[in-house]
Amino acid sequence: MSDTAVNVTSKKDWASDQEVRWCPGCGDYGILLAVQQLMPELGVAPENTVFISGIGCSSRFPYYMNTYGVHSIHGRAPAIATGVAIARPDLDVWVVTGDGDGLSIGGNHLIHALRRNVDLTILLFNNRIYGLTKGQYSPTSEIGKVTKSTPAGSIDPPFNPLSVALGAEASFVARTHDLDRKHMMETFRAAHDHRGAAFVEIFQNCNVFNDGQFTDIVRRQNRDEMLIELVHGEPIRFGADRQRGVSVGADGQLRIVDVAEVGEEAILVHDAERNDPSLAFALARLSNDDHSPTPFGIFRRVQRQEYASAIAAQLAQASERKGPGDLAALLRSNGTWNVTSTN
Amino acid sequence: MPNRHRVVVITGPERYGCRWERGRTYMTDTQPGAPDIDEASLLHRLVVRFAGDSGDGMQLTGDRFTSVSASYGNDLSTFPDYPAEIRAPAGTVHGVSAFQVHISDHEITTPGDQPNVLVAMNPAALMADLGRLERGGTLIVNEDAFDERNLQKAGYATDPLGDGSLDTYRVIHVPMTSLTKEATASLGVKPRDAERSKNFFALGLVSWMYTRPIDPTLEWIETKFGTNELVAGANREAFLAGYNFGETTEAVGHRYEVRPAQLPGGEYTSVTGNTALAWGIVAAGQLAKLPVTLGSYPITPASDILHELSKHKQFGVRTVQAEDEIAAIGMALGAAFAGHLGVTATSGPGVALKSETTSLAVSVELPLLIVDIQRGGPSTGLPTKTEAADLNIAMYGRHSEAPLPIVAAYSPTHCFAAAIEAVRIAVKYRTPVILLSDGFLANGSEPWRLPDVDTLPDISVPFATAYNGTDSDGEDVFYPFQRDPETLARPWAIPGTRDLMHRIGGLEKADVTGNISYDSENHERMVKLRAAKVARIADDLPPIELVGDLDADVCVLGWGSTWAAIDAGVQRRRREGHKVAWVHLTHLSPLPNDLGDILRRFERVVVPELNMGQLCRIVRAEYLVDATAVTKMQGLPFTTAEIEAAIDTALDAVASNGGTPTTTTDNHGQGRP
């Protein structure tokens, strides 16, 4: 993100020569298109861009980008990306992961990358299912979900990815979905421009193993009533006539209300830059299923020290205090004595 | 002598100069300012073991005695031996922490089989360590600690100081606690605090008994505790009181002296294996012209590498204490992809956790240094005790076919050179390398004649900067898996390099192009290419240097920290007129090209290992030689006596097998198949 020179590229400069091999109709295609279309607008260069992924359907993503990339190990992308980012703060580092990869096997790395605020743009494709292993429940699957590994229904309470990210002290948290390229591009752009770890949950449809999971919310004809768009500084309202909104109840709970009933002044004004994460957390948990109004957009965007620059500052400080590294002096740092040869 | 295997036979003391740059072939004069030794008897060597509670400061006491002896000019070797608990219940046997140091006026390599002097700060220390003391050895006890409660906690039914059970030793009773309290009373130190300085009393007493200079310790106390005058004063007074106790009390008796050793001229420092290893990593980064990025998770006994490297940010060394072992190696691998020297340091349990990422590094063919400071296992095992049983996991501990090079350090100071060698291989061949050390090397220290840093080798390799192929349309392209015909290494193109954008990953790659390939023949070709690349490193290794007698019947084959005891044992048997050969391996994967031919020359091959015979099984499988394992799994290094016994057993077996007597110098090769 330190690229200052604007690089002129076109969408085709960002597509690799590899055939895209997701299932026909997969939501991943829309996300890939949004990213490839966004990159020229960011003015960055393919050679300064790195995509790191783990394992899963979404993790094939780097193969389709004409950038540097690593398709690594299940769950480990945030750790490997952290290594890239701290070694080379000059690079744009993206992480592509999924609900299984990022929240199950790799949950530890994800939360610690967010906690450290490493300068990464993390895209978590959430389809609430294990696709690449052909249909087992995931850590975001709802209770009762019947899958190959849960024929009697899942009994595991699911994670809310945004709650996890906020709990891990993430400085940028957003949600978008695979059917709205414009919204994805806007969200990805903001995530990219954020200095520090940016976490984006993408509702992504797996049309083979979990088709239609998000349809109630994201289908075009449902969006007005079901999709609550968060805009920083604006009252949180939705509905075809923006007749509904979110307000804070007397008990501190967020509630969906009719604006006419409570009055405009009772509607919560969205403040993504609020340092206290509790409202963002409450918004992230406004809906606990995929069948009721659900907020999208940027939940939280705050500035705090980015990890690689903190490392660089300590290196600079050490050089200033001790001078540049001197190997001969290092070997003498425990104290020495001389032995005189008599030969 | 037949030399078709290019065997370099080294027999004299110059072996150090030739092989390991410890160089100890020259006489040196007595240090200027050495104490007058007219009144002291000369000893050639001395082994002291300081033993007490975990909180008694025994490690610090031993460390000070070592430092003073090092700067005095003795050769030395140390063995810190402490429990896994930070503060185990006071007074118990399992809470005993000990530090053994061997000093001498000649070359030594081991911390000594049996202490000549045991300092026991309480009954538990006596109970734990008396069995180690040599028969008739000197026992210094803090008699104040021998009260009923402590005796009971240590498991003594009667007081050993009064029941005659110590009659075969020379026992010096010293009321250290009360004398320390008295000595520090005038400073206004509270009695409870004063008691904590009793380790300095012990140090002072032993310093007098063995004629150690006192000024360096007094200066050190000032530097270390200067900001707290009360503590500095208490330690100083306790130290002097101990020293004066020796001088004025007849109970202590005669004074001894160990003169400086015959070390080659040069500038020396004293260093532990972990410090030398950390410095080796810093040096390797400089020599490879790569910034170092270390990802590490705290684990005994490897944490000191993280600590040490974290201190040297002026070298551009980036260190991250990762969230777990897997993240630690992931960060190192990410840094390697980005063009840094990626390093991770751990012990056995961490190596197990890192296994999957190590396999990825093998698959994507990036340089990576994985340091394994071995300890007792399996699982948590004996975390503070030494063992060298991770050769199998280093060699085989990955899924599928994932060979990688293994380098093993053999002495604390060799950890420096071993780190550089491991990095040289990693960057040249673009492969993860496992560097094996162990708890004994990690915490042990010895004098090190400092190398001239300007003579250290340049191990840098160029990054790829340009297209290296042409596709079917005649377009210039970059092939990330187009190999160097000599090394089989693939190009290392780092992000930020124009036109060379490429993707790597764990899926099988097509030969040359690096694109995903599920082609069956390609997979087999890639498996074989990765193996051939590692195997080929053997061509890049120096010929084996054999110590001792090429015409011996018995060859000792060692690796790692057994070096010290093998060195002492082999030399002792050879001085007695036996013919013995010794090969010590630094490279365990690939094994040196000439190893098989060399081993087959000998009727008996003995392999001492701190495991159940891991290298032994490898050489039996590789070379069909009838090697015999000599194993030890006690959390302790081999003693010289154990190595001598192993050599004797082999010599006897040869003799009873109708072999010619081992002390003759006949040409043994004649009757051999």
Side-chain angles (χ1 to χ4, degrees):
Chain A
M1 305 192 189
S2 58
D3 253 10
T4 44
V6 174
N7 292 274
V8 180
T9 57
S10 66
K11 180 173 159 284
K12 72 171 175 46
D13 292 323
W14 293 86
S16 76
D17 60 358
Q18 297 297 296
E19 184 195 350
V20 184
R21 295 190 195 169
W22 287 309
C23 306
C26 176
D28 290 357
Y29 284 96
I31 305 171
L32 178 65
L33 195 62
V35 171
Q36 287 177 343
Q37 200 164 321
L38 172 70
M39 296 315 262
E41 295 182 16
L42 295 177
V44 294
E47 66 263 26
N48 294 330
T49 305
V50 182
F51 276 83
I52 312 267
S53 65
I55 294 294
C57 294
S58 59
S59 287
R60 296 296 176 94
F61 199 95
Y63 285 119
Y64 309 134
M65 295 295 297
N66 185 32
T67 63
Y68 286 88
V70 182
H71 174 229
S72 73
I73 304 174
H74 206 13
R76 315 303 171 205
I80 291 168
T82 295
V84 175
I86 63 178
R88 297 284 302 280
D90 58 309
L91 301 173
D92 246 356
V93 186
W94 297 67
V95 171
V96 179
T97 184
D99 41 316
D101 189 60
L103 292 168
S104 194
I105 193 165
N108 200 30
H109 308 306
L110 178 67
I111 59 174
H112 287 278
L114 296 173
R115 169 177 73 93
R116 293 192 180 98
N117 205 30
V118 184
D119 198 7
L120 304 172
T121 308
I122 302 169
L123 309 182
L124 185 140
F125 297 16
N126 183 12
N127 55 19
R128 305 206 197 285
I129 198 78
Y130 278 78
L132 196 66
T133 49
K134 302 188 176 175
Q136 299 82 13
Y137 75 117
S138 91
T140 59
S141 296
E142 67 278 11
I143 288 181
K145 191 172 203 78
V146 174
T147 70
K148 283 181 183 143
S149 56
T150 51
S154 164
I155 56 172
D156 298 15
F159 264 146
N160 175 322
L162 300 187
S163 297
V164 172
L166 288 162
E169 309 292 342
S171 58
F172 182 103
V173 175
R175 180 189 278 148
T176 183
H177 68 91
D178 61 5
L179 289 181
D180 187 341
R181 194 186 315 161
K182 183 165 162 286
H183 191 265
M184 279 193 285
M185 287 172 67
E186 272 170 27
T187 310
F188 298 162
R189 180 200 306 276
H192 168 269
D193 290 348
H194 179 72
R195 192 154 167 69
F199 178 84
V200 182
E201 177 192 18
I202 307 159
F203 279 2
Q204 175 252 323
N205 190 43
C206 173
N207 59 319
V208 174
F209 295 106
N210 198 21
D211 194 26
Q213 175 77 29
F214 305 108
T215 302
D216 285 357
I217 306 167
V218 301
R219 191 162 55 183
R220 192 173 295 275
Q221 53 268 45
N222 298 348
R223 287 182 203 167
D224 279 349
E225 298 305 322
M226 295 293 275
L227 201 152
I228 307 172
E229 190 160 348
L230 301 174
V231 180
H232 176 65
E234 299 279 327
I236 304 172
R237 295 176 63 163
F238 65 105
D241 302 314
R242 295 175 59 75
Q243 74 280 19
R244 304 181 79 192
V246 174
S247 83
V248 186
D251 57 359
Q253 295 265 337
L254 294 191
R255 282 194 180 75
I256 290 170
V257 293
D258 287 331
V259 179
E261 269 177 35
V262 298
E264 278 183 31
E265 62 285 352
I267 301 301
L268 181 65
V269 175
H270 182 52
D271 181 5
E273 293 170 10
R274 213 179 132 104
N275 211 32
D276 171 28
S278 54
L279 268 177
F281 190 79
L283 280 170
R285 302 177 74 84
L286 193 62
S287 161
N288 280 322
D289 56 48
D290 296 327
H291 315 290
S292 49
T294 301
F296 280 73
I298 299 167
F299 289 65
R300 176 172 167 82
R301 177 171 53 193
V302 296
Q303 295 303 316
R304 62 185 179 90
Q305 175 133 53
E306 183 275 319
Y307 197 64
S309 60
I311 289 180
Q314 288 194 341
L315 297 190
Q317 202 178 28
S319 289
E320 204 171 288
R321 216 174 54 241
K322 303 179 183 172
D326 176 347
L327 193 56
L330 174 66
L331 302 190
R332 284 162 180 79
S333 57
N334 274 357
T336 65
W337 66 94
N338 283 297
V339 171
T340 323
S341 171
T342 52
N343 288 37
Chain B
M1 167 192 317
N3 202 24
R4 74 196 155 89
H5 307 314
R6 294 199 308 151
V7 179
V8 180
V9 182
I10 299 162
T11 52
E14 73 277 11
R15 68 187 189 279
Y16 296 113
C18 301
R19 292 181 64 190
W20 298 308
E21 296 179 352
R22 288 184 79 201
R24 297 184 174 193
T25 50
Y26 305 102
M27 293 288 289
T28 176
D29 218 341
T30 308
Q31 290 286 290
D36 180 359
I37 56 164
D38 286 348
E39 59 189 51
S41 301
L42 290 177
L43 294 175
H44 290 302
R45 48 183 289 273
L46 171 74
V47 180
V48 184
R49 188 174 176 95
F50 297 93
D53 251 339
S54 302
D56 276 346
M58 292 296 97
Q59 301 304 317
L60 184 129
T61 308
D63 208 46
R64 282 317 308 157
F65 189 83
T66 303
S67 272
V68 168
S69 299
S71 56
Y72 183 55
N74 297 122
D75 197 5
L76 58 86
S77 172
T78 71
F79 176 37
D81 189 10
Y82 52 88
E85 293 76 19
I86 304 302
R87 292 273 192 282
T92 61
V93 172
H94 60 262
V96 171
S97 171
F99 189 104
Q100 186 165 316
V101 51
H102 185 182
I103 62 173
S104 69
D105 67 359
H106 57 283
E107 271 174 26
I108 51 165
T109 51
T110 78
D113 285 9
Q114 290 181 310
N116 312 111
V117 180
L118 172 65
V119 179
M121 299 301 285
N122 65 5
L126 185 67
M127 177 63 96
D129 283 352
L130 182 66
R132 301 171 194 270
L133 185 62
E134 70 170 357
R135 194 180 293 270
T138 299
L139 176 61
I140 302 170
V141 292
N142 173 19
E143 65 179 11
D144 287 338
F146 282 68
D147 58 21
E148 201 173 323
R149 194 153 157 270
N150 280 336
L151 288 166
Q152 199 188 347
K153 274 200 267 187
Y156 280 112
T158 60
D159 185 351
L161 302 186
D163 66 5
S165 62
L166 303 176
D167 286 354
T168 54
Y169 303 97
R170 175 171 166 251
V171 187
I172 302 173
H173 299 244
V174 189
M176 288 189 208
T177 312
S178 45
L179 289 175
T180 302
K181 283 183 190 166
E182 276 170 35
T184 56
S186 63
L187 299 170
V189 184
K190 288 190 200 118
R192 246 199 108 66
D193 292 340
E195 202 177 309
R196 294 169 60 184
S197 294
K198 63 181 183 293
N199 58 327
F200 279 92
F201 185 98
L203 179 63
L205 175 56
V206 178
S207 296
W208 181 84
M209 289 172 68
Y210 298 98
T211 326
R212 305 286 91 189
I214 62 170
D215 287 344
T217 297
L218 292 174
E219 283 164 22
W220 180 85
I221 289 172
E222 285 314 312
T223 314
K224 174 88 180 171
F225 302 106
T227 51
N228 190 335
E229 181 43 40
L230 214 52
V231 174
N235 288 340
R236 183 177 59 238
E237 292 308 318
F239 176 73
L240 290 172
Y243 193 86
N244 293 333
F245 181 86
E247 196 156 67
T248 54
T249 314
E250 285 188 358
V252 181
H254 205 67
R255 199 173 187 205
Y256 294 89
E257 155 68 355
V258 182
R259 308 242 335 232
Q262 303 164 3
L263 300 172
E267 190 177 8
Y268 281 77
T269 192
S270 176
V271 73
T272 65
N274 270 354
T275 303
L277 202 153
W279 291 355
I281 290 168
V282 173
Q286 304 262 300
L287 300 170
K289 301 186 175 71
L290 297 172
V292 174
T293 293
L294 171 84
S296 195
Y297 187 78
I299 185 169
T300 303
S303 304
D304 282 338
I305 294 169
L306 169 62
H307 304 162
E308 183 65 25
L309 285 172
S310 300
K311 291 196 288 199
H312 303 302
K313 299 188 194 302
Q314 74 274 21
F315 287 90
V317 175
R318 292 151 175 84
T319 58
V320 182
Q321 182 177 316
E323 60 270 22
D324 59 33
E325 295 280 4
I326 300 171
I329 189 173
M331 290 174 191
L333 184 63
F337 178 69
H340 277 214
L341 174 57
V343 182
T344 189
T346 187
S347 188
V351 174
L353 282 163
K354 293 177 198 299
S355 175
E356 191 185 11
T357 311
T358 308
S359 300
L360 176 65
V362 168
S363 174
V364 297
E365 303 188 43
L366 281 170
L368 191 64
L369 176 62
I370 301 158
V371 179
D372 177 6
I373 313 294
Q374 302 162 94
R375 66 186 207 188
S379 190
T380 309
L382 306 174
T384 62
K385 308 291 181 187
T386 200
E387 200 165 279
D390 289 352
L391 179 57
N392 277 350
I393 195 174
M395 194 75 83
Y396 308 115
R398 288 164 296 285
H399 54 279
S400 186
E401 294 288 345
L404 53 67
I406 303 169
V407 174
Y410 60 74
S411 79
T413 58
H414 180 246
C415 288
F416 181 80
I420 296 172
E421 171 65 358
V423 172
R424 179 189 75 87
I425 293 172
V427 298
K428 182 171 176 183
Y429 294 90
R430 261 74 95 188
T431 174
V433 175
I434 293 183
L435 171 58
L436 294 173
S437 173
D438 64 34
F440 176 53
L441 299 181
N443 296 318
S445 58
E446 61 181 358
W448 184 28
R449 188 172 60 147
L450 292 175
D452 176 355
V453 298
D454 295 332
T455 64
L456 296 174
D458 179 350
I459 57 171
S460 63
V461 298
F463 292 127
T465 54
Y467 294 128
N468 61 357
T470 313
D471 68 10
S472 51
D473 300 334
E475 295 278 322
D476 287 336
V477 287
F478 175 63
Y479 289 133
F481 282 79
Q482 173 122 294
R483 294 168 193 279
D484 179 301
E486 188 204 332
T487 61
L488 296 182
R490 74 175 191 87
W492 189 7
I494 64 169
T497 313
R498 243 189 113 75
D499 302 328
L500 305 194
M501 289 82 75
H502 63 282
R503 277 65 57 194
I504 57 174
L507 286 169
E508 187 59 281
K509 291 145 287 281
D511 189 14
V512 182
T513 67
N515 291 329
I516 298 173
S517 169
Y518 302 123
D519 180 81
S520 52
E521 282 170 21
N522 174 76
H523 175 56
E524 185 161 278
R525 186 159 65 247
M526 291 297 278
V527 167
K528 288 179 175 173
L529 276 168
R530 288 188 287 261
K533 182 180 78 167
V534 173
R536 209 173 265 201
I537 296 167
D539 298 340
D540 195 11
L541 305 180
I544 282 182
E545 293 175 351
L546 180 138
V547 175
D549 309 295
L550 193 59
D551 59 346
D553 289 314
V554 172
C555 180
V556 181
L557 175 66
W559 69 277
S561 70
T562 54
W563 179 83
I566 296 175
D567 178 78
V570 167
Q571 299 317 322
R572 217 177 274 178
R573 280 295 173 266
R574 291 189 66 240
R575 274 201 301 274
E576 290 165 3
H578 298 282
K579 282 185 180 290
V580 185
W582 170 31
V583 170
H584 209 79
L585 296 177
T586 293
H587 298 90
L588 296 165
S589 168
L591 289 164
N593 284 331
D594 46 356
L595 181 62
D597 285 343
I598 288 176
L599 294 182
R600 281 189 283 262
R601 298 178 73 104
F602 300 96
E603 193 165 328
R604 293 259 149 186
V605 175
V606 180
V607 192
E609 295 183 80
L610 294 179
N611 60 48
M612 293 302 284
Q614 299 183 1
L615 177 65
C616 187
R617 274 196 296 278
I618 290 169
V619 297
R620 289 174 69 98
E622 286 286 324
Y623 307 120
L624 298 176
V625 292
D626 188 14
T628 310
V630 177
T631 67
K632 182 171 184 178
M633 296 291 283
Q634 300 171 12
L636 296 166
F638 277 109
T639 63
T640 305
E642 287 164 342
I643 299 297
E644 288 175 80
I647 294 170
D648 290 345
T649 304
L651 290 170
D652 289 349
V654 171
S656 66
N657 226 13
T660 36
T662 53
T663 48
T664 67
T665 53
D666 290 352
N667 183 351
H668 287 234
Q670 283 180 349
R672 207 67 58 64

